[in-house]
């Protein structure tokens, strides 16, 4: 789940997934920039659109691009303009364009030739053009332009610098002073003056481990690391950012040579006058940059500090120990008195498993430091989310406290009358049916985040894989947490059954959590399986034999079910609520993979009932791959990878109209994990898409509405019917009144007549009551 959040209010300002690929966001205007990939199944045309939307998702501007692949774009001048990279339609040369957002008018267009790259300054005032010949892999010229007028403001010769041509055509700088380092020189850009400086024969630039470049508050000075630093070479230096003049080096700001690893992460004060550097464990030196003299020495115990952060007034220094293998420490030191203002220890989750599970691979817990733009707060980011602190007091600030990341799975636990949801950060939300009762939160002991999770619908037990072990917790009863070790990495899917009695895992099998032993099933355990409500039987689909094995581990009984001639490919399995029948979602052998149906098997006899429930998928639709059973009614819920959900009555075979959660035609649904819950007793069910967005759906009513089929002036067929803004509409078309294809696309009639001469159409309108899919707020 991506996007932009207001940390003070915990509200999402822009979604990163709702309208395609998230490109940019402008804080002042509140506008968001997206890129969508489009495909017209009628003509076979594919193209990209770059879209500008406001806070509520309204489309303000759209730019089509049929030439360029995945064009980049950024806002300019506080959201008033959009800068977009494309290709010239005739020559296919790389091209840059600037558009006004309010009118969509193009302001200018530039095609310099060769193989250029462009970099936009952080404040968007300056556009840097880096030129190279197609046959060369290095830039020969850098030109700085005023972004709005395209007037040249500076130019620099890069010949001999060997600044390598990067793959990205258009990117945006995120610091006011930016070095572009080559093998034989560095280009330095200074945003306030819009100037370019050449640093010949020096390879100074970024250092991901230390956050270089580091600038003073006014961006007049910058600390850069040397790419080729090695024993005997300079590690870093401080420069005048506008001219590129070197002020002081790592060798000049030391009394005697220090151990090599201790000179890699200095800190430049906001004033630009002081450099703080770690000398040895617990010892820090503060050097005056201009006079190159030692200003003061600081010390704290024997702490192996790794990161230093000066306060805005240079007086205080935050020293941190950020270590993935141990607990982390943060200390604020008063640089005038050499006294600590506060000391805080941040403990890691327990990453050691109890004895008895054998040796196992363990990943450490990493905290990453982030600073607020004002410098008054700092954040420690982990896979569990992030914590915010006031830099001067060390007190926790409740910024972003509600951020939980992507939703992984959500299930209704009837015995506890609540929904249980697991998020990628390892946070677990327990939502009671009683609206007056507050939500309860748990934190799973994850060190690398949660990718897959299982929730038992009877007990509310939760399981996930951490490294090479399964962790199971039981938040509603007195059972102790459990670890099941000695596993391979990345096991999915997993599920819990029988009140947390069985844990089922793809390829690994079923673990009896009461005995912590793996059951003997008599067959390989594949991804398509079903377990009955009481966790007594399991049904396994064996693709090698195209058969289903029903096993009762307690009695070692086995029943094998073979498909009738003409059917194969079990997409999903599910036991009936009483456990006496098995529902199997199948496809015809040798036929259309999308033309699915449900077959019902009697478990006692192992025979297939003489009854088929057709689903009648059309060729244009995706197949269903998930199937869930209603706990109290004889109905099923079917889920499709592209976000379509339908329910079906087992007794009558009646199939509901679908809920279209995601766009019907979407290349994004080729991969990724999604999760569909079983319905709650009142019929609500939840769907977590591959982006981590969580939806709750409630089945409602719809009615057929009158419509007419008309021809437009250019002889195109259109459906006309009255529409209400607060309703959802489904369009269905058919060739023979037997098989109907359902779509939310009101231009579907064009698709139909592109392939057929005649057809039948009907339109359904949702009931005005709020029964349609509802996106759950997921901060």
């Amino acid at each position: 789940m991506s996007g932009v959040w207001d940390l003070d209010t915990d509200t999402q300002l822009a979604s990163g997934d709702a309208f395609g690929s998230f490109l940019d966001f402008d804080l002042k205007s509140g506008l968001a920039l997206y890129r969508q990939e489009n495909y017209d199944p009628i003509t076979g045309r594919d193209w990209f659109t770059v879209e500008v939307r406001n806070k509520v998702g309204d489309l303000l501007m759209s730019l089509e691009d049929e030439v360029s692949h995945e064009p980049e774009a950024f806002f300019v001048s506080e959201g008033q303009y959009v800068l977009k990279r494309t290709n010239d339609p005739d020559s296919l040369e790389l091209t840059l364009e600037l558009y006004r957002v309010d009118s969509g008018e193009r302001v200018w267009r530039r095609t310099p030739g060769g193989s250029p790259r462009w970099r936009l300054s952080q404040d968007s005032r300056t556009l840097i053009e880096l030129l190279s010949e197609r046959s060369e892999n290095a830039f020969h010229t850098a030109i700085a332009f005023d972004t709005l007028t395209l007037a040249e403001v500076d130019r620099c010769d890069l010949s001999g610098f060997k600044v390598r041509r990067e793959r990205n055509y258009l990117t945006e700088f995120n610091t006011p002073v930016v070095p572009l380092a080559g093998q034989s020189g560095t280009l330095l850009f200074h945003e306030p003056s819009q100037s370019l400086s050449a640093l010949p024969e020096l390879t100074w630039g970024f250092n991901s481990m230390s956050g270089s470049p580091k600038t003073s508050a006014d961006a007049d000075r910058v600390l850069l690391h040397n790419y080729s630093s090695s024993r005997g070479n300079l590690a870093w230096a401080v420069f005048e950012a506008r001219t590129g003049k070197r002020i002081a080096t790592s060798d000049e700001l030391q009394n005697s040579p220090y151990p090599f690893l201790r000179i890699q992460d200095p800190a430049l004060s906001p004033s630009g006058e002081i450099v703080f550097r770690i000398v040895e464990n617990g010892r820090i030196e503060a050097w005056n940059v201009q006079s190159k003299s030692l200003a003061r020495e600081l010390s704290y115990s024997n702490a192996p500090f790794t990161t230093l952060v000066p306060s805005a007034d240079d007086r205080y220094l935050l020293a941190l120990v950020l270590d993935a293998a141990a607990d982390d420490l943060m200390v604020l030191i008063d640089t005038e008195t050499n006294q600590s203002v506060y000391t805080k220890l941040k403990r890691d989750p327990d990453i050691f498993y109890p004895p008895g599970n054998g040796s196992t691979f363990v990943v450490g817990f990493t905290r990453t430091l982030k600073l607020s733009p004002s410098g008054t707060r700092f954040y420690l980011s982990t896979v569990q989310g992030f914590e915010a602190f006031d830099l001067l007091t060390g007190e926790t600030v409740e910024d972003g406290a509600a951020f939980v990341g992507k939703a992984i799975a959500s299930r209704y636990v009837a015995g506890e009358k609540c929904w249980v949801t697991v998020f990628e950060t390892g946070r677990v939300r327990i939502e009671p049916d009683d609206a007056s009762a507050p939500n309860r939160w748990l934190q799973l002991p994850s060190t690398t985040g949660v990718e897959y999770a299982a929730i038992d619908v009877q007990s509310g037990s939760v399981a996930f894989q951490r490294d090479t072990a399964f962790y199971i917790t039981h938040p509603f009863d007195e059972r102790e947490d459990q670890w099941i070790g000695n596993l391979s990495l990345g096991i999915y899917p997993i599920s819990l059954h029988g009140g947390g009695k069985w844990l089922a895992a793809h390829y690994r099998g079923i673990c009896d959590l009461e005995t912590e032993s793996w059951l003997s099933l008599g067959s390989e355990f594949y991804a398509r399986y079903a377990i009955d409500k009481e966790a007594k039987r399991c049904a396994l689909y064996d693709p090698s034999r195209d058969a289903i094995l029903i096993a009762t581990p307690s009695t070692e009984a086995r029943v094998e079910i073979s498909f009738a001639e003409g059917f194969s490919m079990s997409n999903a399995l599910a036991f009936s609520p009483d456990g006496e029948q098995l529902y199997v979602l199948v496809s015809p052998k040798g036929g259309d993979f999308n033309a699915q149906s449900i077959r019902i098997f009697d478990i006692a006899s192992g025979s297939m009932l003489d009854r088929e429930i057709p689903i009648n998928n059309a060729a244009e639709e995706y197949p269903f791959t998930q199937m869930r059973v209603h706990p109290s009614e004889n109905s099923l819920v079917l889920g499709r990878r592209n976000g379509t959900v339908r329910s079906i009555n087992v007794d009558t075979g009646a199939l509901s109209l679908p809920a279209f959660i995601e766009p019907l035609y979407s290349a994004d649904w080729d991969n990724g994990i999604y999760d569909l819950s079983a319905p709650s007793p009142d019929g609500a069910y939840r769907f977590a898409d591959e982006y981590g967005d969580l939806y709750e759906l409630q089945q409602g009513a719809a009615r057929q509405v009158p419509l007419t089929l008309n021809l437009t002036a250019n002889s195109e067929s259109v459906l006309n019917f009255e529409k209400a803004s607060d309703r959802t509409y489904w369009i269905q078309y058919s060739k023979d009144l037997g098989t109907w294809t359902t779509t939310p696309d009101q231009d579907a009639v064009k698709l139909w007549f592109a392939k057929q001469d005649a057809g039948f159409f009907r339109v359904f309108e949702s009931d005005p009551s709020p029964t349609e899919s509802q996106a759950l707020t997921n901060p």
Side-chain angles (χ1 to χ4, degrees), residues 739-774:
T739 300
W740 291 88
T741 297
T742 306
T743 175
D745 185 5
Q746 297 187 18
D747 291 328
V749 64
K750 298 178 184 179
L751 173 62
W752 177 262
F753 283 114
K755 301 178 181 179
Q756 308 289 341
D757 295 326
F760 299 91
F761 298 87
R762 62 189 184 191
V763 175
F764 289 90
E765 178 186 67
S766 66
D767 185 270
S769 60
T771 56
E772 302 155 20
S773 65
Q774 175 186 0

Side-chain angles (χ1 to χ4, degrees), residues 454-470:
I455 304 166
D456 185 84
V457 296
Q458 296 180 56
S459 66
S461 301
V462 177
F464 79 103
Q465 184 175 8
R466 194 181 84 177
D467 307 322
T468 56
F470 286 128

Side-chain angles (χ1 to χ4, degrees), residues 1-3 5 12 16-17 403 405-407 424 690-693 778-779:
M1 186 180 185
S2 61
W5 282 264
Q12 189 174 20
D17 310 310
F403 181 81
K406 297 179 180 179
E424 66 173 344
E690 68 166 337
Y691 305 120
D693 292 321
N778 200 19

Side-chain angles (χ1 to χ4, degrees), residues 296-316:
R296 63 188 70 91
E297 291 190 50
L298 308 173
S299 62
Y300 180 85
S301 183
N302 197 37
F305 293 122
T306 58
T307 306
L308 304 175
V309 180
S311 65
D313 59 1
D314 289 7
R315 174 166 179 174
Y316 300 97

Side-chain angles (χ1 to χ4, degrees), residues 110 127 129 141-147 149-156 194 196:
R110 179 171 175 79
L127 176 69
E129 185 173 81
T141 304
I143 308 174
F145 296 97
D146 182 280
T147 308
T149 65
L150 209 59
E152 183 176 323
V153 294
D154 204 355
R155 176 184 289 256
C156 191
Q194 297 182 287
L196 301 171

Side-chain angles (χ1 to χ4, degrees), residues 173 175 177-181 186-189 204-206 212-213 222 224 227:
F173 291 146
T175 55
V177 182
V178 183
L180 296 177
T186 295
L187 172 71
L188 190 63
F189 168 67
W204 306 91
F206 293 99
S212 178
V222 60
L224 302 177
Y227 273 122

Side-chain angles (χ1 to χ4, degrees), residues 723-742:
K723 305 179 186 69
S725 60
D726 61 341
R727 312 288 176 86
T728 297
Y729 293 88
W730 295 264
I731 292 86
Q732 290 189 331
Y733 52 90
S734 174
K735 183 178 183 179
D736 54 10
L737 294 177
T739 300
W740 291 88
T741 297
T742 306

Side-chain angles (χ1 to χ4, degrees), residues 214-512:
K214 299 177 179 180
T215 61
S216 58
D218 57 10
D220 280 352
R221 290 181 177 178
V222 60
L223 188 152
L224 302 177
H225 281 71
N226 186 359
Y227 273 122
S228 60
S229 64
S230 60
R231 193 177 296 275
N233 290 342
L234 295 178
W236 47 266
V238 179
F239 296 83
E240 287 186 1
R242 187 179 65 82
T243 64
K245 177 183 176 181
R246 190 165 65 186
I247 303 173
T249 69
S250 55
D251 280 359
E252 294 170 329
L253 303 185
Q254 64 176 7
N255 284 327
S256 59
Y258 302 129
F260 177 66
L261 293 179
R262 286 297 173 198
I263 59 176
Q264 298 309 300
D265 193 18
L268 181 65
S269 68
S271 67
E273 299 294 331
I274 302 294
V275 166
F276 296 94
R277 60 183 302 172
I278 302 167
V279 178
E280 58 187 6
N281 285 356
R283 185 173 163 224
I284 301 167
E285 291 181 347
W287 286 82
N288 185 288
V289 174
Q290 198 64 43
S291 65
K292 300 173 186 174
S293 60
L294 181 64
R296 63 188 70 91
E297 291 190 50
L298 308 173
S299 62
Y300 180 85
S301 183
N302 197 37
F305 293 122
T306 58
T307 306
L308 304 175
V309 180
S311 65
D313 59 1
D314 289 7
R315 174 166 179 174
Y316 300 97
L317 181 68
L318 178 65
L320 301 103
V321 180
L322 300 179
D323 189 342
D327 296 334
D328 297 331
L329 177 70
M330 48 190 190
V331 181
L332 186 71
I333 302 173
D334 186 328
T335 62
E336 294 185 0
T337 64
N338 194 26
Q339 299 295 314
S340 61
V341 179
Y342 63 79
T343 301
K344 289 183 177 291
L345 182 67
K346 300 299 298 182
R347 295 199 175 276
D348 291 353
D350 179 19
I351 61 174
F352 300 102
Y353 303 138
N357 282 324
S359 60
T360 185
F361 174 71
V362 175
V363 175
F365 187 76
T366 302
R367 290 182 175 91
T368 303
L369 177 69
K370 305 290 184 181
L371 289 175
S372 67
S374 65
T376 59
R377 295 178 182 177
F378 67 96
Y379 302 86
L380 295 181
S381 173
T382 73
V383 295
Q384 296 180 354
F386 56 87
E387 292 180 275
F389 301 89
D390 184 284
L391 189 142
L392 294 181
T393 66
E395 296 300 319
T396 301
V397 180
E398 295 302 323
D399 272 0
F403 181 81
V404 293
K406 297 179 180 179
I408 303 298
S410 189
R411 294 291 184 273
Y412 186 80
V413 182
E416 303 296 333
K417 297 182 179 180
C418 66
W419 283 93
V420 176
T421 305
V422 180
F423 298 89
E424 66 173 344
T425 54
R427 297 192 72 186
V428 179
R429 184 173 65 198
I430 300 173
E431 308 163 67
D433 286 347
D434 183 358
S436 63
N439 292 340
R440 184 157 66 99
W441 290 89
L442 305 176
Q443 177 65 59
L444 299 176
S446 169
T447 58
T448 57
V450 175
E451 190 172 5
Y452 315 115
I455 304 166
D456 185 84
V457 296
Q458 296 180 56
S459 66
S461 301
V462 177
F464 79 103
Q465 184 175 8
R466 194 181 84 177
D467 307 322
T468 56
F470 286 128
Y471 170 81
I472 306 96
T473 186
H474 310 280
F476 297 103
D477 56 53
E478 300 301 320
R479 284 178 289 178
E480 294 183 356
D481 296 347
Q482 295 175 269
W483 292 98
I484 307 297
N486 298 325
L487 304 171
S488 59
L489 295 172
I491 298 177
Y492 176 83
I494 60 175
S495 57
L496 282 169
H497 304 270
K501 174 184 175 183
W502 280 3
L503 172 66
H506 178 36
Y507 280 122
R508 189 63 179 86
I510 298 177
C511 181
D512 187 326

